[in-house]
Amino acid sequence: MTMRRIILFSSSNRLQQPPRKQYNNLNHLRPLFEGTFKAVRDRGLDHAVEREKHLKPLISLKNLIKREPSKSLPISIITQNKESLQLPFRPIEFTRKYPSVFHEFLPVAAALNAPHIRLTPQALSIDSDEQLLYQSDGYKEQIANRLLKLLMISRIHKIPLSIIEHLKWDLGLPHDYLHGVIPEFPDYFRVVHEKSRAFRNDDDRVLELVCWSNELAVSVMEKKNKKKGSDFEFPVQFSTGFEMDRSYQRWLSQWQKLPYVSPYENAAHLSASSDESDRWVVGVLHEILHVLVPKKTEKDNLLILGDWLGLRSRFKRALLKHPGIFYLSSKIGTQTVVLREGYKRGSLAERHPFMDLRSQYIHLMNTTIKEDGKDVKVVLAKINQDESNDKDLEEDDREIRGDMDESFEAEAEDANEDAFEGEDDSEDDNEEQPRRVNFKTAQSSWGRVVGRVKPVRDSKRERSAGRSTQKFRERNPSEASRRLQIRGRNKDVESSVQRSRSKSRGKVIT
């Protein structure tokens, strides 16, 4: 054990919480803002979410293949694990979609010639760098600090491992963190079995705090302002085109002047329907998103954690009332919460080695390879681009309608948390919608898209569009039509010559 850990976690700090601060005039708490506004999309943040499409299932499949002694798997085994891997469509189509990551081959000893999948040398090279990062002492220390901060934010200093699993992707945890990271920090936390703490499943394992750290119990807002417990404003940045009325602008200005309560402090004395409580909840969400490596996560993950903390309804309300701090993106078939402060022009404001590795995977996924002189990824890219263009308008409308519906649900959730079970089903339906659209398109042997289901349009527009297209084709004929026209003209010339000759011969004979 290093000297730093001994000083940091002394026996006097064992599970010792900071003293609760005294606030005056708690009987005059400000009521919550009840106004509404229209959600506006942010292209840069949407791109930051969309660029990681299929990255999570790809890395999960990569890890599954790598754990095999032969470093390969038959496609039948991958199909059996499709749900756990969260593959968006058929495994064979998924692996063929990214030939720069997965290589399909037929083993010699295969009885039925079943295809097997293995990783390409480029994917193995990035994976080796990833494993070196996981094994470094500095990165393990970062993981321990992130888990410790989450435990200190929790009021009872315990979090079920099932919730940690939901946040595993965004916390940057390795696959074997339970055996490779947690046992190396016995003075930070420990895993215990508590049947009474089973949360939403049969897993009763709980990650429990061992020692409280005053050094780590300082929020990002306090570090940036170099003060603790003082009044300072959250950084706010709205999307281009956001319309803010005077009432919301006045309320936000007064809200920013309220006392800042640290997310590591117990705020049970604040009324749930007050602006002071809302400001504390925003601080909790702000700190949690800063703990996560990509500074974003799926909305469901935050709501599951908020359910455990007893703040689910207040989490939902804070995400809707503060579009200048949090951004909700509806890309990749789900809702993703993005911390605006963590991004600049659609990219992370602060680079991290772990996110650099993910960028390498994304670059490899978009890398084209050539087989038989043809570019494999070009046709797939065209199909994906067509599908994304068709769904942009639908996502805009769905996002706005969903935000307006959730604003009413968050207010009613203070009385009954169980009323939101139906929302999870609707969100699941929205996640399945892009998958259904993929099966509505097919590709012919010439590379064009056929069988696409188009929306019903006005008949006049269709006729005018058809006439304009016909005129364009007549003015700019294709190579094939041009050849047919030339052949037709030649035939006409030949037939006219023959007719003229026959006429001339007839005159001579007569």
Side-chain angles (χ1 to χ4, degrees):
M1 184 182 299
T2 61
M3 183 61 66
R4 192 187 69 83
R5 294 186 191 174
I6 296 176
I7 297 175
L8 182 60
F9 298 102
S10 61
S11 59
S12 60
N13 290 335
R14 201 170 191 82
L15 290 180
Q16 180 181 358
Q17 302 181 26
R20 179 182 297 179
K21 294 185 178 182
Q22 300 294 331
Y23 297 92
N24 298 326
N25 298 327
L26 293 181
N27 295 327
H28 303 283
L29 297 178
R30 287 162 41 90
L32 284 170
F33 178 73
E34 300 296 339
T36 58
F37 38 80
K38 182 180 179 180
V40 180
R41 291 184 58 181
D42 192 304
R43 298 290 181 180
L45 298 181
D46 280 340
H47 174 70
V49 174
E50 194 172 20
R51 69 189 297 264
E52 294 188 5
K53 184 179 182 180
H54 298 165
L55 179 61
K56 187 175 181 179
L58 182 136
I59 293 182
S60 300
L61 179 56
K62 182 263 301 182
N63 294 333
L64 180 64
I65 296 175
K66 194 192 63 172
R67 289 196 296 268
E68 288 296 315
S70 61
K71 305 302 179 184
S72 64
L73 273 178
I75 196 66
S76 58
I77 301 298
I78 299 177
T79 304
Q80 294 175 4
N81 295 273
K82 177 183 177 181
E83 294 184 0
S84 60
L85 295 174
Q86 299 181 358
L87 298 180
F89 37 83
R90 291 178 58 196
I92 190 63
E93 295 178 359
F94 185 82
T95 55
R96 290 175 179 174
K97 182 178 177 66
Y98 302 107
S100 57
V101 181
F102 305 106
H103 176 67
E104 180 182 346
F105 68 99
L106 294 175
V108 179
L112 300 177
N113 292 330
H116 283 54
I117 307 297
R118 64 187 173 196
L119 301 176
T120 61
Q122 296 83 357
L124 291 173
S125 176
I126 301 177
D127 177 76
S128 61
D129 296 338
E130 183 181 1
Q131 300 308 315
L132 289 177
L133 178 64
Y134 285 146
Q135 296 171 6
S136 62
D137 295 335
Y139 189 74
K140 289 182 179 180
E141 187 79 19
Q142 294 180 17
I143 293 176
N145 291 340
R146 295 187 201 116
L147 294 175
L148 191 63
K149 281 179 168 289
L150 289 180
L151 290 173
M152 290 190 296
I153 289 176
S154 177
R155 287 183 293 181
I156 60 176
H157 310 306
K158 296 179 182 179
I159 297 180
L161 287 182
S162 59
I163 298 180
I164 300 295
E165 285 292 326
H166 281 281
L167 297 170
K168 175 182 175 181
W169 171 258
D170 299 312
L171 286 171
L173 302 181
H175 178 74
D176 59 342
Y177 73 97
L178 284 175
H179 305 286
V181 178
I182 291 180
E184 296 188 11
F185 299 89
D187 49 347
Y188 279 51
F189 33 66
R190 63 188 176 189
V191 177
V192 296
H193 290 267
E194 293 185 5
K195 294 183 178 180
S196 59
R197 297 294 182 186
F199 184 75
R200 290 193 175 188
N201 54 21
D202 298 332
D203 192 358
D204 59 350
R205 292 178 299 173
V206 176
L207 189 64
E208 183 181 37
L209 178 69
V210 173
C211 296
W212 180 275
S213 172
N214 291 327
E215 179 182 351
L216 294 178
V218 180
S219 65
V220 175
M221 291 290 296
E222 293 170 335
K223 288 182 180 180
K224 289 184 177 181
N225 292 271
K226 297 181 180 180
K227 299 177 183 178
K228 189 168 183 178
S230 301
D231 302 340
F232 36 78
E233 298 182 356
F234 286 91
V236 176
Q237 181 181 2
F238 296 96
S239 301
T240 303
F242 179 80
E243 298 180 359
M244 186 191 318
D245 56 5
R246 294 183 179 179
S247 60
Y248 181 75
Q249 186 176 6
R250 188 185 311 110
W251 171 84
L252 183 61
S253 177
Q254 297 175 356
W255 182 88
Q256 291 277 31
K257 297 178 182 179
L258 294 176
Y260 175 82
V261 182
S262 174
Y264 299 98
E265 298 180 14
N266 189 355
H269 56 287
L270 298 177
S271 173
S273 58
S274 63
D275 276 349
E276 286 78 1
S277 174
D278 178 68
R279 186 169 170 83
W280 173 74
V281 170
V282 170
V284 173
L285 284 171
H286 184 271
E287 185 71 8
I288 291 174
L289 289 173
H290 261 290
V291 169
L292 303 179
V293 182
K295 304 299 181 287
K296 61 181 177 62
T297 186
E298 292 184 10
K299 180 182 176 183
D300 290 341
N301 296 337
L302 286 179
L303 295 183
I304 290 174
L305 179 60
D307 202 358
W308 171 258
L309 300 177
L311 302 173
R312 178 184 173 94
S313 62
R314 287 192 268 180
F315 272 13
K316 296 185 70 173
R317 185 167 51 206
L319 293 175
L320 295 175
K321 297 296 183 183
H322 299 277
I325 303 176
F326 312 107
Y327 176 70
L328 289 175
S329 175
S330 60
K331 292 294 182 179
I332 65 175
T334 184
Q335 283 194 317
T336 304
V337 180
V338 184
L339 182 64
R340 289 184 177 272
E341 181 185 351
Y343 284 81
K344 184 178 181 180
R345 295 180 180 179
S347 301
L348 278 172
E350 297 180 2
R351 294 189 59 181
H352 194 279
F354 183 75
M355 296 305 297
D356 290 341
L357 286 173
R358 287 190 177 176
S359 298
Q360 294 182 30
Y361 280 114
I362 295 173
H363 177 72
L364 185 61
M365 292 167 61
N366 297 325
T367 301
T368 58
I369 64 173
K370 293 186 177 181
E371 294 180 0
D372 299 332
K374 296 181 179 180
D375 199 342
V376 177
K377 296 290 286 299
V378 170
V379 176
L380 294 173
K382 288 181 179 179
I383 294 177
N384 294 333
Q385 183 178 4
D386 293 338
E387 293 175 357
S388 61
N389 292 335
D390 292 340
K391 292 181 287 185
D392 276 343
L393 297 176
E394 297 179 3
E395 289 180 353
D396 289 340
D397 297 337
R398 186 171 63 252
E399 181 180 1
I400 295 173
R401 289 196 302 268
D403 291 342
M404 296 302 295
D405 294 339
E406 289 179 357
S407 62
F408 295 102
E409 292 177 356
E411 296 175 358
E413 203 171 55
D414 292 331
N416 187 5
E417 290 286 343
D418 297 334
F420 290 92
E421 294 299 329
E423 180 197 359
D424 296 336
D425 298 335
S426 62
E427 292 177 356
D428 293 339
D429 295 338
N430 292 334
E431 293 177 1
E432 294 294 334
Q433 184 177 359
R435 303 181 187 176
R436 301 192 189 105
V437 176
N438 291 335
F439 291 102
K440 294 180 181 179
T441 60
Q443 180 185 359
S444 67
S445 59
W446 292 280
R448 58 190 179 87
V449 179
V450 297
R452 184 182 301 276
V453 179
K454 296 183 178 180
V456 179
R457 298 178 181 176
D458 188 64
S459 58
K460 294 183 179 179
R461 295 182 180 178
E462 289 286 347
R463 289 194 295 270
S464 61
R467 287 194 293 268
S468 60
T469 304
Q470 184 66 24
K471 291 180 181 179
F472 177 80
R473 290 178 178 175
E474 293 175 356
R475 295 175 183 175
N476 302 284
S478 62
E479 186 65 23
S481 62
R482 192 179 294 112
R483 291 178 181 175
L484 293 175
Q485 292 177 4
I486 293 173
R487 292 178 182 176
R489 292 171 185 172
N490 294 336
K491 290 182 178 179
D492 294 339
V493 172
E494 293 176 357
S495 61
S496 62
V497 171
Q498 291 177 358
R499 287 194 299 269
S500 63
R501 288 180 179 177
S502 62
K503 290 180 180 180
S504 61
R505 290 175 183 174
K507 291 178 181 180
V508 173
I509 291 173
T510 56

